Amino acid sequence: MASKLINAIKSLNDYTDLFKNVQKLACNPNVDKNDMRQSLEEAIRESGLETEIRNLIFQLIRTNLKIDRIFDAEQTQSQVDPLVYLRRAGAQWDRRVRKSLHTMCAELKVYAQGQPRTSSDRDELLTKWDELSNYAVAAYNLSITFSFIGRQIPKWEFSHIPLKVKKLCDLGAHYNDLLREESYYSVWDLNTQCERVLAMKHATLCQHILKKGNIPATYRGAMWSYVLGSHITDFDVDYWNKLKGNVLSTDHIVDKLVFKDVQLTASNDDQYFVFEDVLYQIMLCFSRDTQIGEMVLGENNHQKPKTYEAPPSGVVPFHGICMFAAPFCYLFDSPIHLYYSFRAFYVRYCHRLTTINTHPQGIVSICLLFEKLLQSHEPKLWSHFRELQIHPIRVVFKWLMRAFSGHLPPDQLLVLWDLILGFDSLEILSLFAIIILSFRKESILQVVTLESIDAILADLSSIKVIPLIKLALSRD
């Protein structure tokens, strides 16, 4: 583990700055060369660099190194893996989407790799960078790729898939902190507690606070930044400017997909339409970010190389992708801070919800968990769906795939995402979907069509996240 940590730290972009800071401390007069280890460690603690290193290790352990262990174990079991077919399906799906993008480029007679913008187009884009809703994009028929992901509802059940998912009692144990009333909340005001935690700058403490899911909105952005490890460095600012420069210099087919997605989703949403311009900036830069493909590939290192040309980021824009970024507009005024926090959240969680994979936090496992919980704890609803020959997953899939973004009001969505970050798990999505169905069970049992059920569940504006989840976890 120590060896992996050292190698991982050395591969980071800001390793050079970190090492220089340690070198400077080693030259401090208070560091005794005859007792180098103890005196240097003391200097590191006093300078605040220890907290920075601890947060760095926290991020590495919960991402890269944890992933390595998962897939090392998978590789040893590959000879008898019953889920090989599912991984193959994921790879085939990925190729199908990329082939669709390639076909679209051929039909529109544009280069899949992008092409240089004309000087007039570049100047117009730069002039309108802060108000991109006024930037004219050619209206092509872009329905091919969009029809694959985001609008197509699966027409199969998940119960037969041999993935291991938690039972309700297991979820209760995992989310136990949400039910436990801790003494310091009765002693100190929650605002004071948040300020104290942020002053300490410990990512682990910020994660612990998020488990309560009721932190004041004022502190949420800072808390998320520590947990996601998305604080901005000089390297990040330079990299953002390079991404912007790439958008300004190169015209890519995914730009048109980005504009269409924002127009079809966030621009038509009463809660997010005011952020249209910044969402264009974020998603255009996201499409150029090659680091995203590298980070996501780290989780899917068992996949074979892609057959068809992919966007620079490795992510083909799909219907609703911008809705993963939209909630962050409520947390950050700066596009740069917004971008890096959204990117970290997407790489850590969202991409698992939009690809076919066997990850325990992937969309297949989340759907399977939903079906198991519904069958076990809401048998009347399960039987009702079966009698109507409606797959229950059809009703909730749009919630699960978008992590409820665009369905819950932003204030409640951010509370739900607090819990995702606090407990580092997407399983809360399945549990929350179950409790919503339970909450409206009587109405659902009185209707007999999918359209009527969708109508009953269309408006979630009255839903409060914490009380309902606590209710679900308190069940016997």
Side-chain angles (χ1 to χ4, degrees):
M1 176 64 77
S3 176
K4 285 187 175 183
L5 279 170
I6 292 170
N7 292 331
I9 291 173
K10 286 182 177 180
S11 67
L12 297 174
N13 295 321
D14 50 357
Y15 168 72
T16 302
D17 292 337
L18 179 66
F19 186 66
K20 286 181 179 179
N21 289 333
V22 176
Q23 285 182 312
K24 290 178 182 178
L25 289 175
C27 298
N28 191 305
N30 295 327
V31 175
D32 185 358
K33 66 179 182 180
N34 296 318
D35 189 14
M36 172 66 77
R37 177 170 179 171
Q38 184 172 345
S39 58
L40 180 57
E41 287 180 353
E42 182 65 27
I44 289 174
R45 279 192 294 270
E46 292 178 354
S47 69
L49 195 59
E50 181 190 31
T51 300
E52 183 179 339
I53 295 173
R54 284 182 181 274
N55 289 345
L56 195 60
I57 293 173
F58 167 78
Q59 294 297 333
L60 291 171
I61 288 177
R62 71 194 287 266
T63 53
N64 302 63
L65 300 183
K66 182 177 179 181
I67 292 161
D68 288 343
R69 290 196 297 273
I70 290 172
F71 283 103
D72 285 347
E74 286 186 350
Q75 291 299 323
T76 62
Q77 299 175 4
S78 59
Q79 298 293 331
V80 293
D81 189 351
L83 295 174
V84 168
Y85 75 94
L86 196 56
R87 295 198 178 93
R88 288 175 179 168
Q92 290 172 357
W93 181 265
D94 184 73
R95 284 195 296 271
R96 184 181 177 189
V97 172
R98 294 173 193 280
K99 181 180 179 180
S100 173
L101 183 66
H102 186 81
T103 301
M104 184 188 302
C105 291
E107 291 180 355
L108 300 177
K109 298 180 180 179
V110 297
Y111 293 105
Q113 300 89 347
Q115 54 195 21
R117 294 188 187 276
T118 63
S119 57
S120 59
D121 185 26
R122 182 172 61 250
D123 293 342
E124 181 185 6
L125 188 59
L126 179 60
T127 301
K128 296 180 178 178
W129 180 253
D130 292 324
E131 45 185 28
L132 286 170
S133 53
N134 295 323
Y135 175 70
V137 177
Y140 295 119
N141 179 10
L142 304 177
S143 60
I144 303 175
T145 301
F146 272 44
S147 67
F148 282 130
I149 305 179
R151 286 185 172 178
Q152 189 176 51
I153 305 299
K155 297 181 179 179
W156 60 86
E157 294 185 19
F158 292 78
S159 302
H160 65 282
I161 298 177
L163 282 171
K164 185 177 180 180
V165 295
K166 290 184 174 70
K167 298 179 181 179
L168 186 59
C169 58
D170 301 322
L171 293 174
H174 183 73
Y175 292 101
N176 184 52
D177 285 346
L178 188 60
L179 298 175
R180 186 169 55 215
E181 296 296 332
E182 300 188 32
S183 59
Y184 60 68
Y185 279 95
S186 61
V187 178
W188 287 307
D189 178 79
L190 187 55
N191 288 296
T192 303
Q193 184 65 23
C194 289
E195 290 173 0
R196 288 170 61 89
V197 168
L198 288 174
M200 297 173 71
K201 300 181 180 180
H202 278 287
T204 50
L205 292 179
C206 290
Q207 185 180 34
H208 179 71
I209 290 291
L210 289 178
K211 289 181 179 181
K212 284 298 174 182
N214 60 353
I215 66 169
T218 308
Y219 305 104
R220 181 172 279 121
M223 291 277 187
W224 284 26
S225 293
Y226 279 112
V227 176
L228 290 168
S230 56
H231 282 94
I232 306 304
T233 65
D234 291 340
F235 176 87
D236 295 325
V237 174
D238 291 340
Y239 189 66
W240 165 264
N241 290 328
K242 289 179 181 178
L243 294 176
K244 177 181 175 181
N246 191 285
V247 173
L248 295 173
S249 63
T250 308
D251 184 14
H252 204 287
I253 184 64
V254 294
D255 298 349
K256 298 168 180 59
L257 292 170
V258 164
F259 273 87
K260 182 161 187 176
D261 180 49
V262 174
Q263 290 164 5
L264 291 176
T265 55
S267 298
N268 289 325
D269 193 306
D270 292 342
Q271 306 291 339
Y272 298 110
F273 74 94
V274 295
F275 304 119
E276 180 180 1
D277 290 322
V278 72
L279 285 174
Y280 287 133
Q281 293 182 22
I282 298 302
M283 299 312 299
L284 286 172
C285 289
F286 180 88
S287 70
R288 302 307 201 279
D289 194 340
T290 56
Q291 291 183 358
I292 293 170
E294 295 167 1
M295 290 185 283
V296 170
L297 189 61
E299 291 211 5
N300 301 303
N301 53 16
H302 58 285
Q303 289 185 356
K304 295 180 180 180
K306 309 297 186 297
T307 304
Y308 292 93
E309 194 71 33
S313 68
V315 180
V316 179
F318 50 85
H319 180 71
I321 187 174
C322 76
M323 295 304 292
F324 288 129
F328 287 85
C329 296
Y330 282 96
L331 304 183
F332 303 98
D333 294 327
S334 164
I336 298 179
H337 287 83
L338 193 164
Y339 177 75
Y340 282 104
S341 292
F342 155 63
R343 187 184 76 166
F345 190 79
Y346 180 89
V347 169
R348 179 67 180 167
Y349 302 108
C350 300
H351 86 274
R352 297 173 184 161
L353 298 175
T354 57
T355 57
I356 299 174
N357 58 80
T358 58
H359 195 282
Q361 300 288 317
I363 188 63
V364 177
S365 294
I366 297 302
C367 289
L368 177 59
L369 176 60
F370 165 80
E371 286 195 348
K372 295 287 189 182
L373 291 176
L374 184 67
Q375 193 170 4
S376 300
H377 299 281
E378 288 294 349
K380 285 187 178 180
L381 275 175
W382 175 264
S383 299
H384 185 62
F385 280 115
R386 301 295 291 181
E387 290 172 3
L388 300 178
Q389 296 185 347
I390 296 174
H391 294 308
I393 203 67
R394 287 177 63 95
V395 177
V396 303
F397 187 76
K398 56 184 179 294
W399 296 346
L400 300 178
M401 182 184 165
R402 284 198 197 170
F404 283 88
S405 182
H407 300 285
L408 278 177
D411 62 326
Q412 291 302 305
L413 178 71
L414 294 173
V415 170
L416 182 65
W417 286 13
D418 281 343
L419 300 180
I420 290 176
L421 287 168
F423 292 96
D424 192 26
S425 174
L426 290 167
E427 292 163 327
I428 199 75
L429 300 177
S430 302
L431 182 65
F432 191 52
I434 289 291
I435 197 62
I436 292 175
L437 294 188
S438 299
F439 191 61
R440 299 189 175 171
K441 176 168 61 175
E442 297 306 320
S443 298
I444 294 174
L445 292 175
Q446 295 175 16
V447 298
V448 295
T449 65
L450 177 62
E451 291 74 18
S452 299
I453 295 174
D454 285 339
I456 291 170
L457 301 171
D459 184 7
L460 302 183
S461 60
S462 62
I463 296 293
K464 302 299 180 185
V465 171
I466 297 299
L468 287 182
I469 289 180
K470 284 186 175 182
L471 178 64
L473 292 173
S474 300
R475 288 182 171 183
D476 294 332

